């Protein structure tokens, strides 16, 4: 009488099971890491946000041109506080701004 332990197919099946089990064990880790990436996404800054209003943030150049203190050509994209790649802004942590936007604390990027 032979058991699964001393049969070559049993060893192969056990290896396949362990391989499959280790793959299953990794699935939750993959999902957790993708959730973490989601958490790091920036939330678009809305003009209606009280912090945006306090600093007169507007999302377009058309609106910016009518704002007191606006200088021609100034926009988030060429602002010292703009974070290229994520459209983030150091003045509004966790938020993204429109590259064509503007606010009252705009400062030129050093050239
Ligand atoms: S600080 Fe600069 S990048 Fe941030 S919202 Fe104001 S103008 Fe845009």
């Amino acid at each position: 009488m032979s058991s699964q332990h001393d049969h070559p197919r049993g060893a192969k099946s056990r290896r396949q099971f362990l391989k499959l089990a280790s793959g299953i064990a990794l699935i939750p880790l993959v999902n957790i890491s993708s959730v973490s990436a989601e958490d790091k996404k920036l939330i678009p800054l809305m003009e209606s946000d009280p912090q945006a209003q306090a600093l007169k943030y507007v999302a377009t150049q058309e609106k910016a041109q009518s704002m007191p203190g606006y200088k021609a050509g100034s926009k988030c994209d060429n602002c010292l506080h703009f974070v290229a790649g994520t459209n983030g802004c150091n003045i509004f942590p966790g938020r993204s701004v429109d590259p064509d936007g503007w606010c009252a604390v705009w400062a030129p990027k050093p050239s």
Side-chain angles (χ1 to χ4, degrees):
M1 184 176 201
S2 70
S3 72
Q4 197 177 19
H5 294 288
D6 54 23
H7 193 280
R9 281 184 64 191
K12 186 177 179 186
S13 295
R14 202 165 43 249
R15 272 197 305 272
Q16 285 175 332
F17 170 77
L18 291 172
K19 204 171 173 182
L20 180 65
S22 66
I24 290 170
L26 290 177
I27 290 171
L29 295 176
V30 170
N31 285 340
I32 288 168
S33 67
S34 66
V35 168
S36 297
E38 289 290 316
D39 291 343
K40 290 176 186 170
K41 279 189 178 173
L42 301 178
I43 299 166
L45 180 65
M46 307 304 287
E47 291 176 2
S48 58
D49 185 301
Q51 292 178 329
Q53 289 182 337
L55 296 180
K56 300 177 174 37
Y57 171 78
V58 287
T60 67
Q61 281 293 286
E62 186 180 355
K63 290 177 184 174
Q65 289 166 6
S66 63
M67 301 301 284
Y70 171 81
K71 291 180 185 161
S74 61
K75 57 184 179 177
C76 294
D77 196 33
N78 59 21
C79 175
L80 171 69
H81 307 293
F82 187 67
V83 181
T86 62
N87 288 357
C89 169
N90 294 325
I91 303 299
F92 299 102
R95 302 305 180 102
S96 63
V97 295
D98 193 295
D100 282 334
W102 177 89
C103 86
V105 297
W106 178 88
K109 267 185 195 169
S111 47

